[in-house]
Amino acid sequence: MPQGFTLSVYPWVYLAKYQEDGSWAEDFQEKPHKTPREEEAMAPAELDALLAQRNSFPELPVVNYTTQYGLGCFEGLKAFPQADGSLKLFRPDQNARRFARSMEGLKMPVYPDETFVSAVRTTVAKNLKLGFSPTFDRAWERDDFESGDSVYIRPFTYAEPAIGLGLSHSPWVIMVTTPVGSYFRPGNSKAVTADTVRATPGGTGWIKCDANYVMAILAKKRAEAEGFMEAVFLDSTHRKYVEEGSSCNIFFVLSNGHLVTPDLGDTILPGVTRDSVLTLAADLKIATEVRRISIEEVMADAREAFVTGTAAGVTSLESLTHMGKTAVFSPDGSSGEVGRALQKNLKGIQYGSLPDRHGWMVAV
Ligand code: PMP
């Protein structure tokens, strides 16, 4: 089972290029491959060489606004194995919408939502037809979904050749897919507040653009070096209100049982999982508050904390450390009651063991 994001690009990839007439020229490419079984039996060096060919796009320019200045955006979504041997996408329309908003935010031409969803479906379906799929390990029968396999789909923009500051008027949209397992290393779910800033009011925090992830990577890697799993960002103005993790949104359960998550504003990424968890919490009759929450309130009153995201699912935090003080939510690292209930509901819908009561799942 793959741990986290090991990059092993599936053979079928997708490229679309914006045309002067306002259309997108779409191209599905079948990169070099053998059968999945033959690839499993290959010597590691040989397989690495084959995978490198699949992650190689010789037709793309190296010097452009994306590689030089980080002018680009991306998405991340998953297709989940179902008991009937099919794969289903989780809310791809939401990722399509956010991708379009990100491109708009970067002043790029619009890539239509319908094109996004159909390109994702076709790319995943073509790979499944070749036998490239995650392990159908009967995750839908298990209670713990934390190590469930799925296909991760990464759509991203890539700018035309250029040097000097400028906007991308005719970008590519590229999609690759790769199998993934659990994102966070099991056994450590401690978080620490970052003393750096991810997003500022009036900035790009609300869109999923490449540039946002520089601060996120630096903070996460520093947190990991200090023995934590995740860094949690505070607002940049007051350094007081909790915003989100490096690549996930955050929720707290207070002593009165209320579930709280920060309201979005323009510095927090509107997560698809965050939105889904709020809906599931309402289904479960959990009182929720979407509002600013200070780190002092969290340290004093939170009984449970978890992060949400496509990669993270619903991952409970064992503790949160801020300026040398630690609030412990779960001494043994197990999920809290609310986090566990929401995780079960979310993963149950994703893997098809619970009815898709909100019409979120889309067959590929
Ligand atoms: N915040 C940030 C900064 C992220 O990168 C992600 C992952 N896309 C999320 C939150 C969670 O979003 P989603 O639930 O849509 O994956």
Side-chain angles (χ1 to χ4, degrees):
M1 179 166 303
Q3 261 299 316
F5 282 101
T6 46
L7 180 63
S8 120
V9 173
Y10 283 156
W12 279 101
V13 299
Y14 168 90
L15 283 91
K17 177 85 164 82
Y18 188 71
Q19 307 292 297
E20 268 178 22
D21 66 2
S23 66
W24 291 84
E26 296 187 276
D27 183 24
F28 290 93
Q29 291 184 5
E30 187 175 0
K31 299 276 193 182
H33 66 89
K34 303 191 178 203
T35 67
R37 189 171 283 218
E38 282 165 350
E39 289 190 9
E40 260 170 42
M42 282 169 82
E46 244 186 297
L47 180 61
D48 282 353
L50 183 61
L51 290 174
Q53 287 182 332
R54 302 222 282 259
N55 185 21
S56 162
F57 296 81
E59 67 273 49
L60 297 181
V62 168
V63 179
N64 68 0
Y65 300 124
T66 307
T67 58
Q68 304 305 298
Y69 310 115
L71 188 84
C73 57
F74 64 101
E75 269 306 320
L77 65 161
K78 283 180 172 178
F80 294 88
Q82 308 290 308
D84 65 2
S86 70
L87 292 172
K88 280 189 181 169
L89 294 157
F90 181 67
R91 306 190 75 183
D93 56 311
Q94 295 298 306
N95 297 89
R97 206 66 303 277
R98 190 171 63 192
F99 195 54
R101 274 202 310 272
S102 295
M103 290 180 78
E104 255 168 57
L106 300 178
K107 308 292 175 210
M108 285 181 192
V110 174
Y111 180 70
D113 292 19
E114 318 77 71
T115 313
F116 180 103
V117 174
S118 81
V120 169
R121 290 174 72 173
T122 307
T123 309
V124 173
K126 280 177 176 290
N127 284 307
L128 182 62
K129 208 165 162 202
L130 287 182
F132 285 86
S133 76
T135 337
F136 284 77
D137 64 354
R138 314 197 73 73
W140 49 87
E141 282 176 1
R142 292 200 312 263
D143 231 14
D144 97 71
F145 292 103
E146 287 184 17
S147 55
D149 279 8
S150 55
V151 186
Y152 184 78
I153 303 122
R154 170 57 61 87
F156 60 99
T157 66
Y158 197 80
E160 65 271 32
I163 195 153
L165 298 188
L167 295 171
S168 176
H169 298 297
S170 56
W172 280 266
V173 168
I174 302 168
M175 297 190 188
V176 298
T177 61
T178 181
V180 285
S182 156
Y183 177 58
F184 291 117
R185 274 199 315 273
N188 178 6
S189 59
K190 298 182 171 79
V192 61
T193 53
D195 56 15
T196 52
V197 162
R198 187 191 91 93
T200 50
T204 56
W206 58 285
I207 61 178
K208 198 163 167 65
C209 67
D210 300 352
N212 288 347
Y213 289 83
V214 176
M215 294 313 295
I217 291 169
L218 294 175
K220 186 176 169 81
K221 288 297 147 188
R222 182 168 160 197
E224 283 179 2
E226 291 170 359
F228 299 95
M229 172 192 76
E230 179 59 308
V232 172
F233 286 102
L234 302 180
D235 80 284
S236 63
T237 311
H238 310 94
R239 316 289 302 129
K240 177 180 163 100
Y241 299 102
V242 178
E243 297 216 312
E244 62 181 318
S246 63
S247 58
C248 40
N249 295 112
I250 195 159
F251 287 76
F252 301 98
V253 181
L254 303 182
S255 58
N256 64 3
H258 289 199
L259 181 66
V260 183
T261 193
D263 51 352
L264 291 172
D266 66 354
T267 56
I268 296 179
L269 190 81
V272 178
T273 321
R274 173 187 179 279
D275 180 73
S276 310
V277 160
L278 285 171
T279 301
L280 296 174
D283 292 354
L284 298 174
K285 309 267 186 289
I286 297 167
T288 47
E289 296 175 29
V290 177
R291 62 161 168 92
R292 286 208 302 199
I293 179 161
S294 72
I295 186 68
E296 286 79 23
E297 184 178 357
V298 167
M299 299 302 284
D301 196 41
R303 296 291 173 265
E304 215 183 292
F306 56 84
V307 291
T308 65
T310 298
V314 177
T315 299
S316 287
L317 297 179
E318 182 179 328
S319 62
L320 178 60
T321 298
H322 174 63
M323 308 231 300
K325 292 207 180 83
T326 298
V328 178
F329 309 116
S330 162
D332 64 353
S334 63
S335 298
E337 196 186 329
V338 176
R340 197 164 47 236
L342 289 163
Q343 153 93 313
K344 270 192 185 178
N345 268 266
L346 178 70
K347 293 289 171 179
I349 291 173
Q350 290 174 332
Y351 284 98
S353 60
L354 288 179
D356 177 19
R357 57 185 184 265
H358 297 287
W360 285 339
M361 304 309 292
V362 174
V364 303

